[in-house]
Amino acid sequence: MYNITAMTNRPTVIVTRRLPERVEAELARDFDVRRNADDHPFTRDELAAALRQADGVLCTVTDRIDAAVLAAAPLRARILANFGVGYNHIDVAAARARGLVVTNTPGVLTDATADLAILLLLMVARRAGEGEREVRAGAWTGWRPTHLLGHMVSGRTLGIVGYGRIGRATARRAAHGFGMRVLIHTPRPPAADALAADGVAAALPLDELLAASDFVSLHCPATPATRHLIDARRLALMRRDAYLVNTARGDVVDEAALVAALREGRIAGAGLDVYEREPALAAGLAELENVVLLPHLGSATLETREAMGMRAVTNLRNYFRGGEALDRV
Ligand code: 8YV
């Protein structure tokens, strides 16, 4: 056990990216912190070195910590405190095999991410990206009755894939805020009365949900089972006038198949915040007019990033005080 209040013998924590000021200040109270001054994404060698040099590593989605990186020796790190709820960039089984505890930050980014899903839903339905590009390009010739006509979301059907915290928060916004008919797909649907309270009309098998929805929003974690869950076959089940929204993880969608479906008009459009090979995009995606592309902004509010950071600090503190890490995955 470490004495984290004494000035000496404080655990060393390597923080792979710059964090909001308040979080960095909080970390410095209890830990010997090594920062990444210029905020560059760590290389595999830097990640392996961090595992050799620090007692804890506070990491993010840009750190691919796979079995090869985790083979670092001699291993000093005991905990990977992930800044974020999704942890598909960490090989958790390999980490456990090396005795590392892995934590995440659930709960604190639910509302921010659900807000972003609704933002993308509205942007694709109302052609906001196209309009914004037109105005900036100086190509707007003035108001006319038939200009950039989009579609209402009210009264339309939203299919939500994955019904954890974020899926549920998105369902409630869509049903109660916009009067949408909400369908969900999830391996273990909550009881009917709980779904009714959220404004959910029905839980359906995935293929049925895809065929019945005007908008499909993804909220499942990236796991081997959900990799390319939305592939060419499932895109073909969607309606030609339907839109896909992804604020979950890029791996859930076969991005090349999505580009083909969009290009050929087999679905109407897509709003994406996450990609298979961030920050790279599938060939052709950025050239399409009927997509809105955001740079992984799901949790990007100051309030949320501070809360995520504080949660990661709490996980580190609890662990080094010898207690149970709060958000062990
Ligand atoms: C984070 C996210 O910004 O928490 C997640 O799973 O995708 C984002 O909200 C990112 O993961 C930070 O590491």
Side-chain angles (χ1 to χ4, degrees):
M1 199 193 299
Y2 293 76
N3 178 1
I4 69 169
T5 48
M7 286 307 286
T8 55
N9 193 28
R10 303 193 324 160
T12 297
V13 173
I14 291 183
V15 185
T16 65
R17 303 306 297 260
R18 295 306 303 266
L19 299 176
E21 247 171 66
R22 279 189 53 216
V23 180
E24 291 191 344
E26 190 64 24
L27 262 174
R29 283 160 51 109
D30 285 338
F31 301 102
D32 175 8
V33 179
R34 305 226 191 117
R35 288 183 193 154
N36 168 4
D38 66 1
D39 199 28
H40 67 280
F42 268 22
T43 62
R44 299 173 64 75
D45 285 350
E46 286 174 305
L47 288 170
L51 293 171
R52 287 194 299 269
Q53 292 163 8
D55 301 299
V57 178
L58 196 160
C59 57
T60 77
V61 71
T62 57
D63 304 311
R64 184 148 297 282
I65 305 178
D66 57 20
V69 168
L70 284 160
L75 181 69
R76 173 168 168 186
R78 312 264 307 280
I79 175 168
L80 295 174
N82 186 54
F83 177 90
V85 66
Y87 49 86
N88 60 310
H89 52 287
I90 301 173
D91 186 333
V92 175
R96 276 194 201 127
R98 297 226 62 200
L100 277 154
V101 165
V102 181
T103 60
N104 69 343
T105 62
V108 292
L109 45 76
T110 305
D111 287 332
T113 309
D115 286 352
L116 201 91
I118 296 293
L119 174 74
L120 283 171
L121 179 96
L122 289 171
M123 283 186 79
V124 290
R126 300 299 298 272
R127 305 178 66 179
E130 287 169 79
E132 216 263 349
R133 286 193 291 279
E134 185 180 284
V135 174
R136 275 183 192 279
W140 184 33
T141 55
W143 187 90
R144 59 190 187 278
T146 56
H147 184 216
L148 280 181
L149 301 184
H151 292 287
M152 299 299 292
V153 300
S154 309
R156 311 286 295 282
T157 298
L158 170 64
I160 292 194
V161 179
Y163 206 63
R165 298 176 199 84
I166 301 170
R168 179 165 182 246
T170 305
R172 294 170 67 95
R173 280 161 170 72
H176 300 318
F178 295 95
M180 297 186 82
R181 174 172 170 259
V182 178
L183 306 172
I184 66 160
H185 168 73
T186 184
R188 285 170 297 282
D193 55 342
L195 288 183
D198 290 346
V200 174
L204 294 181
L206 180 55
D207 289 2
E208 285 178 38
L209 173 140
L210 294 172
S213 299
D214 300 301
F215 299 86
V216 174
S217 189
L218 305 178
H219 298 283
C220 54
T223 65
T226 62
R227 186 179 146 69
H228 286 187
L229 186 71
I230 306 300
D231 58 6
R233 182 186 77 79
R234 290 216 165 96
L235 286 164
L237 294 175
M238 289 177 64
R239 302 159 48 135
R240 291 185 88 86
D241 58 356
Y243 297 87
L244 180 70
V245 169
N246 189 7
T247 55
R249 277 294 180 271
D251 300 31
V252 178
V253 177
D254 179 340
E255 212 171 287
L258 175 63
V259 171
L262 288 163
R263 203 179 257 153
E264 291 158 22
R266 283 188 272 115
I267 66 169
L272 307 177
D273 188 44
V274 288
Y275 307 87
E276 269 194 270
R277 282 168 291 275
E278 295 178 13
L281 306 183
L285 187 59
E287 284 79 64
L288 295 168
E289 276 296 329
N290 54 346
V291 293
V292 173
L293 306 174
L294 296 182
H296 202 143
L297 293 180
S299 62
T301 70
L302 178 61
E303 301 89 327
T304 305
R305 291 282 163 86
E306 285 184 347
M308 291 161 67
M310 295 305 180
R311 188 85 173 213
V313 175
T314 301
N315 285 326
L316 287 164
R317 275 198 185 120
N318 284 4
Y319 177 78
F320 286 113
R321 280 181 182 147
E324 188 50 30
L326 186 62
D327 302 310
R328 203 172 170 145
V329 301

